[in-house]
Tab-separated table of all heavy atoms in Angstrom:
chain	number	residue	atom	x	y	z
A	174	TYR	N	3.692	-13.145	-14.789
A	174	TYR	CA	3.569	-13.344	-13.355
A	174	TYR	C	2.143	-13.749	-13.013
A	174	TYR	O	1.185	-13.184	-13.562
A	174	TYR	CB	3.903	-12.054	-12.595
A	174	TYR	CG	5.311	-11.575	-12.807
A	174	TYR	CD1	5.632	-10.781	-13.900
A	174	TYR	CD2	6.321	-11.923	-11.908
A	174	TYR	CE1	6.934	-10.337	-14.102
A	174	TYR	CE2	7.622	-11.489	-12.103
A	174	TYR	CZ	7.920	-10.698	-13.210
A	174	TYR	OH	9.202	-10.271	-13.408
A	175	LYS	N	2.013	-14.708	-12.099
A	175	LYS	CA	0.684	-15.058	-11.592
A	175	LYS	C	0.260	-13.984	-10.601
A	175	LYS	O	1.024	-13.617	-9.709
A	175	LYS	CB	0.690	-16.421	-10.910
A	175	LYS	CG	-0.701	-16.897	-10.512
A	175	LYS	CD	-0.665	-18.260	-9.845
A	175	LYS	CE	-2.075	-18.799	-9.609
A	175	LYS	NZ	-2.985	-17.846	-8.946
A	176	LEU	N	-0.963	-13.486	-10.758
A	176	LEU	CA	-1.425	-12.393	-9.904
A	176	LEU	C	-2.931	-12.472	-9.714
A	176	LEU	O	-3.697	-12.400	-10.679
A	176	LEU	CB	-1.056	-11.044	-10.543
A	176	LEU	CG	-1.513	-9.793	-9.812
A	176	LEU	CD1	-0.888	-9.715	-8.417
A	176	LEU	CD2	-1.176	-8.546	-10.627
A	177	ASP	N	-3.347	-12.634	-8.473
A	177	ASP	CA	-4.759	-12.591	-8.121
A	177	ASP	C	-5.062	-11.169	-7.673
A	177	ASP	O	-4.673	-10.743	-6.574
A	177	ASP	CB	-5.063	-13.588	-7.000
A	177	ASP	CG	-6.545	-13.651	-6.668
A	177	ASP	OD1	-7.285	-12.720	-7.043
A	177	ASP	OD2	-6.969	-14.638	-6.034
A	178	LEU	N	-5.774	-10.427	-8.509
A	178	LEU	CA	-6.007	-9.009	-8.261
A	178	LEU	C	-7.032	-8.731	-7.167
A	178	LEU	O	-7.297	-7.569	-6.845
A	178	LEU	CB	-6.434	-8.323	-9.561
A	178	LEU	CG	-5.301	-8.160	-10.576
A	178	LEU	CD1	-5.857	-7.854	-11.950
A	178	LEU	CD2	-4.332	-7.073	-10.138
A	179	SER	N	-7.590	-9.779	-6.595
A	179	SER	CA	-8.519	-9.573	-5.485
A	179	SER	C	-7.798	-9.556	-4.139
A	179	SER	O	-8.427	-9.335	-3.095
A	179	SER	CB	-9.600	-10.658	-5.471
A	179	SER	OG	-9.044	-11.942	-5.223
A	180	HIS	N	-6.463	-9.732	-4.166
A	180	HIS	CA	-5.686	-9.766	-2.924
A	180	HIS	C	-4.652	-8.639	-2.920
A	180	HIS	O	-3.729	-8.624	-3.747
A	180	HIS	CB	-4.983	-11.113	-2.762
A	180	HIS	CG	-5.945	-12.248	-2.528
A	180	HIS	ND1	-6.622	-12.417	-1.351
A	180	HIS	CD2	-6.347	-13.250	-3.347
A	180	HIS	CE1	-7.401	-13.489	-1.431
A	180	HIS	NE2	-7.255	-14.003	-2.634
A	181	GLU	N	-4.788	-7.724	-1.998
A	181	GLU	CA	-3.899	-6.563	-1.944
A	181	GLU	C	-2.444	-6.971	-1.732
A	181	GLU	O	-1.538	-6.379	-2.327
A	181	GLU	CB	-4.343	-5.600	-0.841
A	181	GLU	CG	-3.495	-4.328	-0.791
A	181	GLU	CD	-3.970	-3.342	0.258
A	181	GLU	OE1	-4.895	-3.683	1.032
A	181	GLU	OE2	-3.405	-2.231	0.310
A	182	LYS	N	-2.199	-7.978	-0.903
A	182	LYS	CA	-0.815	-8.381	-0.652
A	182	LYS	C	-0.147	-8.866	-1.932
A	182	LYS	O	1.026	-8.558	-2.188
A	182	LYS	CB	-0.746	-9.476	0.422
A	182	LYS	CG	0.693	-9.855	0.782
A	182	LYS	CD	0.760	-10.931	1.835
A	182	LYS	CE	2.207	-11.192	2.265
A	182	LYS	NZ	3.109	-11.516	1.151
A	183	GLU	N	-0.874	-9.622	-2.735
A	183	GLU	CA	-0.299	-10.080	-4.012
A	183	GLU	C	0.025	-8.899	-4.915
A	183	GLU	O	1.047	-8.878	-5.596
A	183	GLU	CB	-1.244	-11.053	-4.713
A	183	GLU	CG	-1.283	-12.427	-4.092
A	183	GLU	CD	-1.843	-13.484	-5.019
A	183	GLU	OE1	-1.728	-13.328	-6.260
A	183	GLU	OE2	-2.388	-14.483	-4.513
A	184	ILE	N	-0.848	-7.903	-4.928
A	184	ILE	CA	-0.600	-6.703	-5.731
A	184	ILE	C	0.636	-5.982	-5.222
A	184	ILE	O	1.507	-5.578	-6.011
A	184	ILE	CB	-1.831	-5.771	-5.705
A	184	ILE	CG1	-3.013	-6.432	-6.410
A	184	ILE	CG2	-1.503	-4.430	-6.361
A	184	ILE	CD1	-4.311	-5.677	-6.283
A	185	ASN	N	0.738	-5.818	-3.907
A	185	ASN	CA	1.897	-5.134	-3.322
A	185	ASN	C	3.199	-5.862	-3.647
A	185	ASN	O	4.194	-5.242	-4.041
A	185	ASN	CB	1.738	-5.024	-1.808
A	185	ASN	CG	0.659	-4.046	-1.404
A	185	ASN	OD1	0.270	-3.183	-2.179
A	185	ASN	ND2	0.157	-4.177	-0.183
A	186	ASP	N	3.183	-7.189	-3.477
A	186	ASP	CA	4.390	-7.974	-3.753
A	186	ASP	C	4.766	-7.897	-5.228
A	186	ASP	O	5.942	-7.748	-5.580
A	186	ASP	CB	4.169	-9.435	-3.342
A	186	ASP	CG	4.057	-9.607	-1.833
A	186	ASP	OD1	4.400	-8.667	-1.095
A	186	ASP	OD2	3.605	-10.695	-1.405
A	187	PHE	N	3.758	-7.999	-6.094
A	187	PHE	CA	3.998	-7.933	-7.531
A	187	PHE	C	4.604	-6.582	-7.912
A	187	PHE	O	5.596	-6.518	-8.657
A	187	PHE	CB	2.681	-8.154	-8.272
A	187	PHE	CG	2.724	-7.829	-9.735
A	187	PHE	CD1	3.383	-8.657	-10.624
A	187	PHE	CD2	2.097	-6.691	-10.225
A	187	PHE	CE1	3.425	-8.359	-11.981
A	187	PHE	CE2	2.130	-6.385	-11.571
A	187	PHE	CZ	2.796	-7.219	-12.456
A	188	CYS	N	4.031	-5.502	-7.413
A	188	CYS	CA	4.518	-4.173	-7.773
A	188	CYS	C	5.930	-3.931	-7.248
A	188	CYS	O	6.739	-3.255	-7.900
A	188	CYS	CB	3.555	-3.099	-7.266
A	188	CYS	SG	1.967	-3.072	-8.138
A	189	SER	N	6.243	-4.492	-6.100
A	189	SER	CA	7.609	-4.377	-5.569
A	189	SER	C	8.605	-5.066	-6.490
A	189	SER	O	9.696	-4.540	-6.762
A	189	SER	CB	7.684	-4.988	-4.166
A	189	SER	OG	6.915	-4.248	-3.252
A	190	VAL	N	8.238	-6.231	-6.996
A	190	VAL	CA	9.098	-6.951	-7.938
A	190	VAL	C	9.277	-6.143	-9.217
A	190	VAL	O	10.396	-6.009	-9.742
A	190	VAL	CB	8.505	-8.340	-8.265
A	190	VAL	CG1	9.242	-8.975	-9.441
A	190	VAL	CG2	8.572	-9.247	-7.043
A	191	ILE	N	8.192	-5.588	-9.727
A	191	ILE	CA	8.249	-4.814	-10.972
A	191	ILE	C	9.170	-3.612	-10.816
A	191	ILE	O	10.039	-3.350	-11.660
A	191	ILE	CB	6.835	-4.359	-11.393
A	191	ILE	CG1	5.952	-5.561	-11.729
A	191	ILE	CG2	6.917	-3.400	-12.584
A	191	ILE	CD1	6.471	-6.452	-12.812
A	192	LYS	N	9.023	-2.866	-9.729
A	192	LYS	CA	9.848	-1.670	-9.526
A	192	LYS	C	11.320	-2.031	-9.350
A	192	LYS	O	12.199	-1.302	-9.813
A	192	LYS	CB	9.340	-0.896	-8.309
A	192	LYS	CG	8.039	-0.161	-8.568
A	192	LYS	CD	7.664	0.780	-7.440
A	192	LYS	CE	7.198	0.047	-6.219
A	192	LYS	NZ	6.660	0.989	-5.186
A	193	SER	N	11.580	-3.151	-8.717
A	193	SER	CA	12.958	-3.568	-8.490
A	193	SER	C	13.628	-4.088	-9.757
A	193	SER	O	14.785	-3.767	-10.045
A	193	SER	CB	12.989	-4.647	-7.408
A	193	SER	OG	14.281	-5.175	-7.253
A	194	LYS	N	12.879	-4.863	-10.532
A	194	LYS	CA	13.464	-5.537	-11.684
A	194	LYS	C	13.518	-4.677	-12.940
A	194	LYS	O	14.479	-4.746	-13.715
A	194	LYS	CB	12.692	-6.828	-11.972
A	194	LYS	CG	13.270	-7.656	-13.107
A	194	LYS	CD	12.567	-8.994	-13.243
A	194	LYS	CE	13.154	-9.809	-14.395
A	194	LYS	NZ	12.501	-11.136	-14.536
A	195	TYR	N	12.486	-3.856	-13.156
A	195	TYR	CA	12.366	-3.173	-14.453
A	195	TYR	C	12.661	-1.681	-14.398
A	195	TYR	O	12.869	-1.063	-15.440
A	195	TYR	CB	10.968	-3.402	-15.030
A	195	TYR	CG	10.664	-4.863	-15.244
A	195	TYR	CD1	9.992	-5.584	-14.266
A	195	TYR	CD2	11.091	-5.525	-16.390
A	195	TYR	CE1	9.715	-6.939	-14.438
A	195	TYR	CE2	10.829	-6.876	-16.564
A	195	TYR	CZ	10.136	-7.573	-15.588
A	195	TYR	OH	9.870	-8.911	-15.755
A	196	LYS	N	12.667	-1.086	-13.234
A	196	LYS	CA	13.038	0.317	-13.043
A	196	LYS	C	12.032	1.294	-13.661
A	196	LYS	O	11.645	2.262	-13.039
A	196	LYS	CB	14.446	0.597	-13.606
A	196	LYS	CG	15.523	-0.346	-13.110
A	196	LYS	CD	15.616	-0.363	-11.592
A	196	LYS	CE	16.725	-1.307	-11.120
A	196	LYS	NZ	16.737	-1.430	-9.648
A	197	LYS	N	11.635	1.063	-14.926
A	197	LYS	CA	10.712	1.985	-15.579
A	197	LYS	C	9.667	1.218	-16.396
A	197	LYS	O	9.998	0.284	-17.119
A	197	LYS	CB	11.458	2.953	-16.510
A	197	LYS	CG	10.536	3.915	-17.267
A	197	LYS	CD	11.314	4.957	-18.024
A	197	LYS	CE	10.427	5.793	-18.940
A	197	LYS	NZ	9.300	6.455	-18.241
A	198	ILE	N	8.401	1.630	-16.238
A	198	ILE	CA	7.301	1.102	-17.036
A	198	ILE	C	6.795	2.238	-17.923
A	198	ILE	O	6.439	3.309	-17.430
A	198	ILE	CB	6.154	0.576	-16.146
A	198	ILE	CG1	6.656	-0.527	-15.210
A	198	ILE	CG2	4.998	0.071	-17.007
A	198	ILE	CD1	7.190	-1.748	-15.908
A	199	ASP	N	6.788	2.014	-19.219
A	199	ASP	CA	6.358	3.056	-20.156
A	199	ASP	C	4.849	3.048	-20.382
A	199	ASP	O	4.245	4.102	-20.592
A	199	ASP	CB	7.084	2.869	-21.492
A	199	ASP	CG	8.584	2.981	-21.340
A	199	ASP	OD1	9.075	4.106	-21.193
A	199	ASP	OD2	9.257	1.933	-21.326
A	200	VAL	N	4.267	1.860	-20.355
A	200	VAL	CA	2.825	1.716	-20.595
A	200	VAL	C	2.249	0.726	-19.601
A	200	VAL	O	2.814	-0.351	-19.392
A	200	VAL	CB	2.547	1.223	-22.038
A	200	VAL	CG1	1.057	0.945	-22.233
A	200	VAL	CG2	3.032	2.237	-23.060
A	201	LEU	N	1.121	1.102	-18.984
A	201	LEU	CA	0.388	0.205	-18.083
A	201	LEU	C	-1.029	0.055	-18.615
A	201	LEU	O	-1.739	1.050	-18.793
A	201	LEU	CB	0.359	0.777	-16.665
A	201	LEU	CG	-0.611	0.112	-15.674
A	201	LEU	CD1	-0.242	-1.352	-15.458
A	201	LEU	CD2	-0.638	0.874	-14.351
A	202	ILE	N	-1.437	-1.192	-18.862
A	202	ILE	CA	-2.796	-1.480	-19.323
A	202	ILE	C	-3.515	-2.261	-18.235
A	202	ILE	O	-3.199	-3.427	-17.973
A	202	ILE	CB	-2.800	-2.309	-20.626
A	202	ILE	CG1	-1.830	-1.725	-21.663
A	202	ILE	CG2	-4.225	-2.413	-21.173
A	202	ILE	CD1	-2.233	-0.389	-22.220
A	203	ASN	N	-4.481	-1.636	-17.584
A	203	ASN	CA	-5.322	-2.329	-16.612
A	203	ASN	C	-6.476	-2.982	-17.358
A	203	ASN	O	-7.514	-2.364	-17.613
A	203	ASN	CB	-5.842	-1.345	-15.553
A	203	ASN	CG	-4.781	-0.954	-14.553
A	203	ASN	OD1	-4.164	-1.810	-13.927
A	203	ASN	ND2	-4.546	0.336	-14.413
A	204	ASN	N	-6.273	-4.236	-17.717
A	204	ASN	CA	-7.231	-4.948	-18.563
A	204	ASN	C	-8.001	-6.034	-17.818
A	204	ASN	O	-9.165	-6.282	-18.117
A	204	ASN	CB	-6.477	-5.574	-19.746
A	204	ASN	CG	-7.313	-6.626	-20.443
A	204	ASN	OD1	-8.261	-6.313	-21.169
A	204	ASN	ND2	-6.986	-7.886	-20.238
A	205	ALA	N	-7.384	-6.693	-16.863
A	205	ALA	CA	-8.023	-7.824	-16.179
A	205	ALA	C	-9.353	-7.409	-15.567
A	205	ALA	O	-9.480	-6.324	-14.995
A	205	ALA	CB	-7.099	-8.368	-15.094
A	206	ALA	N	-10.347	-8.280	-15.699
A	206	ALA	CA	-11.672	-7.965	-15.170
A	206	ALA	C	-12.404	-9.239	-14.792
A	206	ALA	O	-12.049	-10.335	-15.230
A	206	ALA	CB	-12.479	-7.180	-16.194
A	207	LYS	N	-13.441	-9.056	-13.990
A	207	LYS	CA	-14.238	-10.188	-13.535
A	207	LYS	C	-15.714	-9.833	-13.612
A	207	LYS	O	-16.107	-8.699	-13.321
A	207	LYS	CB	-13.864	-10.545	-12.089
A	207	LYS	CG	-14.550	-11.793	-11.567
A	207	LYS	CD	-13.867	-12.278	-10.304
A	207	LYS	CE	-14.332	-13.683	-9.951
A	207	LYS	NZ	-13.537	-14.279	-8.889
A	208	ALA	N	-16.540	-10.804	-14.012
A	208	ALA	CA	-17.991	-10.637	-14.026
A	208	ALA	C	-18.627	-11.846	-13.352
A	208	ALA	O	-18.181	-12.973	-13.560
A	208	ALA	CB	-18.503	-10.488	-15.454
A	209	MET	N	-19.649	-11.596	-12.563
A	209	MET	CA	-20.373	-12.674	-11.876
A	209	MET	C	-21.870	-12.382	-11.995
A	209	MET	O	-22.557	-12.100	-11.015
A	209	MET	CB	-19.933	-12.780	-10.414
A	209	MET	CG	-18.437	-13.017	-10.243
A	209	MET	SD	-17.886	-13.087	-8.518
A	209	MET	CE	-18.469	-14.707	-8.046
């Protein structure tokens, strides 16, 4: 899934899709990061 983590609405929409489609997540890896 395309996801811009700097936008809360995109995060909310993405998580709604995940909960609806997959029901259960066994492992979550918060890996994405940004440096400037």
Side-chain angles (χ1 to χ4, degrees):
Y174 298 85
K175 187 180 187 310
L176 178 62
D177 184 342
L178 288 164
S179 65
H180 292 288
E181 183 177 6
K182 184 180 185 305
E183 285 199 28
I184 294 172
N185 290 340
D186 291 346
F187 168 73
C188 290
S189 294
V190 169
I191 295 302
K192 286 189 287 188
S193 174
K194 183 173 180 179
Y195 300 95
K196 308 304 181 185
K197 178 173 172 56
I198 301 298
D199 299 284
V200 174
L201 168 62
I202 313 292
N203 285 306
N204 164 74
K207 185 165 193 170
M209 302 178 75

